[in-house]
């Protein structure tokens, strides 16, 4: 093979095999194939077929369900990380990480409406939709995709867009994961990189129910330039309540919008941090907020759901009480509210594989557990997660975000894909009839 094959006896095996999510660290593939071209990917697929081994595809390795790891063959596309810009289009290798993508695009004064995690892979994010601080202005990252190069299960390499392999191209925009083939490169229509003001506001824990109530009315209807997430995280040391994000506008307008939230909540934040500057500077500010609390060794579990309207005040009170009820436990709990609306909802649900176009916000319930914690504590963490999701579920759409992969969904096809499931199954039968990419 021309591709680099790394096996357990290789000196770099331990370093290269590890995914970004700590709970899947124990999965030991029989071979990692580092692919620098579509032809390398075709060889890796042939290797897995000959050996009758399962395979997984990895770019960033951040899959919450462990689907970028395998005991068989891992096709690692990280060597394909080039970024080029011409004529308003960016051609990006599937192995590129967001931090490097933003740096390369910034040199041309353009960007993409993607997330803030610097080590997240561009391919996985795109395939599952891809939300970000410009999403309410420009839509999902997958909405900006204009073409892709894909290696199919039979080893063929195809170029797909609206006119070539249109069903495959439709499916790649939001179905999530390597369901139909291995994406090697993606071509996006870029957007101008605007000046922006990033912000973080911190609120008193007692204000949480009132703040959630105000946020769910304010954030989805704010100007499209505003992306303001609400995060509540609790651990044995206490509860933090934050509204953070960025506005593609100046400091004065950002402050005015945040003041509207405070008036609606009937309380003011305890602290406000603003970072006016370039879009790239805003991304760095927000990436730093996330990196402060990261624990790559923790075992992470989450549930997500979209919501079409506000949650009742009684549910918000119960949600906050439940978040604090396990205060003495050793695990960290989180409620992460992301605003929808704006350009996210202006694309018809059937236009791409991403079906969740009519929501007002997305809520992720998450828990992080020390892998060395006793079994009772791990069980308590999972119980907290299940109960938190159950409190809000009666008011949700029933739809889950494909990029927050959940291995234990009761009806994953409907929850991820809603009315687009039937067409996706037909595309699957056409392009991967043997279900190689499970």
């Amino acid at each position: 093979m021309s591709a680099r094959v790394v096996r357990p006896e290789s000196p770099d095996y331990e370093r290269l095999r590890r995914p970004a999510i700590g709970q899947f660290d124990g999965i030991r593939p029989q071979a990692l194939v580092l692919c620098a071209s579509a032809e390398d990917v075709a060889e890796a697929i042939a290797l897995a077929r000959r050996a009758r081994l399962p395979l997984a595809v990895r770019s960033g390795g951040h899959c919450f369900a462990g689907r970028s790891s395998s005991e068989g063959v891992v096709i690692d596309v990280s060597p394909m990380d080039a970024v080029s810009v011409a004529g308003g289009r960016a051609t990006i290798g599937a192995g590129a990480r967001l931090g490097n993508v933003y740096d390369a695009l910034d040199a041309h004064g353009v960007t993409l409406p993607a997330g803030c995690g610097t080590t997240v892979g561009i391919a996985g994010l795109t395939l599952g939709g891809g939300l970000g601080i410009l999403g309410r202005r420009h839509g999902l990252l997958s909405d900006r995709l204009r073409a892709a190069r894909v290696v199919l299960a039979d080893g063929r390499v195809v170029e797909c867009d609206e006119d070539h392999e249109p069903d495959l191209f439709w499916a790649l925009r939001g179905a999530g994961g390597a369901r139909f083939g291995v994406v090697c490169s993606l071509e996006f229509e870029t957007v101008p990189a605007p000046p922006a003001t990033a912000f973080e506001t911190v609120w008193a824990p007692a204000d949480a129910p009132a703040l959630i109530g105000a946020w769910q009315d304010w954030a989805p209807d704010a100007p499209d330039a505003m992306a303001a997430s609400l995060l509540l995280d609790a651990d044995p040391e206490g509860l933090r309540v934050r509204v953070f994000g960025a506005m593609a506008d100046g400091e004065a307008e950002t402050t005015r919008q945040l003041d509207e939230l405070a008036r609606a909540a009937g309380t003011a934040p305890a602290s406000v941090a603003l970072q006016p500057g370039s879009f790239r500077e805003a991304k760095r500010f927000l990436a730093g907020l996330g990196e402060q609390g990261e624990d790559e060794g923790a075992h992470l579990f989450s549930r997500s759901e979209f919501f079409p309207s506000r949650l009742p005040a009684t549910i918000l009170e119960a949600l906050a009480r439940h978040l604090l009820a396990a205060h003495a436990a050793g695990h960290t709990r989180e409620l992460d509210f992301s605003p929808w609306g704006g350009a996210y909802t202006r694309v018809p649900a059937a236009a791409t594989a991403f079906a969740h176009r009519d929501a007002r916000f997305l809520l992720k319930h998450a828990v992080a557990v020390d892998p060395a914690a006793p079994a009772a504590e791990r069980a308590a963490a999972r119980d907290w997660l299940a109960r938190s999701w159950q409190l809000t579920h009666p008011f949700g759409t029933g739809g889950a975000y494909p990029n927050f992969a959940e291995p234990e969904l009761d009806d994953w096809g409907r929850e991820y894909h809603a009315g687009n499931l039937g067409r996706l199954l037909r595309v699957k039968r056409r392009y991967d009839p043997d279900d190689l990419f499970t």
Side-chain angles (χ1 to χ4, degrees), residues 14-371:
E14 287 299 321
R15 175 177 60 86
L16 293 172
R17 73 168 179 84
R18 291 193 176 97
I21 305 297
Q23 69 218 66
F24 307 111
D25 185 58
I27 298 176
R28 302 179 63 82
Q30 294 189 36
L32 295 99
V33 185
L34 301 180
C35 298
S37 67
E39 291 70 27
D40 286 351
V41 172
E43 288 186 5
I45 291 173
L47 168 67
R49 282 191 176 279
R50 285 194 304 271
R52 299 183 181 276
L53 291 173
L55 61 79
V57 183
R58 178 182 297 172
S59 54
H62 288 85
C63 180
F64 295 134
R67 294 172 187 148
S68 57
S69 299
S70 172
E71 297 284 359
V73 174
V74 172
I75 298 176
D76 189 325
V77 301
S78 59
M80 295 186 281
D81 62 355
V83 180
S84 63
V85 181
R89 299 285 181 95
T91 301
I92 303 176
R97 309 291 177 89
L98 288 188
N100 293 335
V101 168
Y102 288 133
D103 287 342
L105 297 182
D106 188 59
H108 299 270
V110 298
T111 192
L112 291 170
C116 294
T118 56
T119 61
V120 170
I122 187 77
L125 185 66
T126 303
L127 295 176
L131 56 86
I133 61 174
L134 289 181
R136 300 187 66 254
R137 197 178 195 184
H138 295 292
L140 295 165
L141 177 58
S142 59
D143 293 337
R144 309 301 300 180
L145 187 65
R146 296 295 176 262
R149 193 173 201 219
V150 186
V151 182
L152 302 179
D154 60 7
R156 287 184 297 133
V157 181
V158 299
E159 311 283 344
C160 66
D161 56 25
E162 290 280 10
D163 299 316
H164 305 90
E165 311 288 348
D167 285 341
L168 177 61
F169 183 61
W170 174 87
L172 294 180
R173 288 174 292 165
R179 301 279 185 86
F180 311 98
V182 182
V183 174
C184 295
S185 68
L186 308 104
E187 183 179 312
F188 298 94
E189 184 177 352
T190 62
V191 301
T197 302
F199 57 86
E200 180 190 34
T201 64
V202 180
W203 304 69
D207 295 334
L211 181 61
I212 301 171
W215 178 92
Q216 64 185 346
D217 289 331
W218 168 77
D221 292 328
D224 290 357
M226 170 62 80
S229 294
L230 170 59
L231 184 67
L232 288 75
D233 56 271
D235 59 26
E237 297 182 0
L239 171 66
R240 286 200 307 168
V241 181
R242 294 180 289 159
V243 175
F244 65 95
M247 187 171 190
D249 209 320
E251 185 173 351
E253 180 59 19
T254 304
T255 299
R256 191 180 75 79
Q257 290 294 327
L258 292 173
D259 286 346
E260 283 192 13
L261 173 62
R263 282 193 294 272
T267 184
S271 67
V272 178
L274 298 174
Q275 174 72 58
S278 69
F279 180 75
R280 188 67 189 100
E281 288 168 338
K283 281 289 187 183
R284 291 193 181 102
F285 177 89
L286 295 173
L289 297 182
E291 287 162 2
Q292 289 172 8
E294 287 183 356
D295 181 0
E296 293 187 354
H299 287 191
L300 307 174
F301 305 94
S302 68
R303 295 296 309 266
S304 72
E305 190 162 7
F306 288 94
F307 291 83
S309 58
R310 71 185 334 273
L311 291 166
T314 54
I315 295 300
L316 299 182
E317 293 280 357
L319 198 61
R321 285 197 304 270
H322 184 63
L323 183 66
L324 289 170
H327 218 43
H331 50 267
T332 300
R333 304 165 304 286
E334 180 180 279
L335 299 174
D336 186 353
F337 294 81
S338 298
W340 222 239
Y344 289 133
T345 62
R346 295 185 191 125
V347 176
T352 71
F354 192 90
H356 311 290
R357 300 292 186 169
D358 58 352
R360 285 184 60 79
F361 63 91
L362 171 67
L363 171 58
K364 180 177 73 171
H365 315 252
V367 63
V369 187
D370 187 324

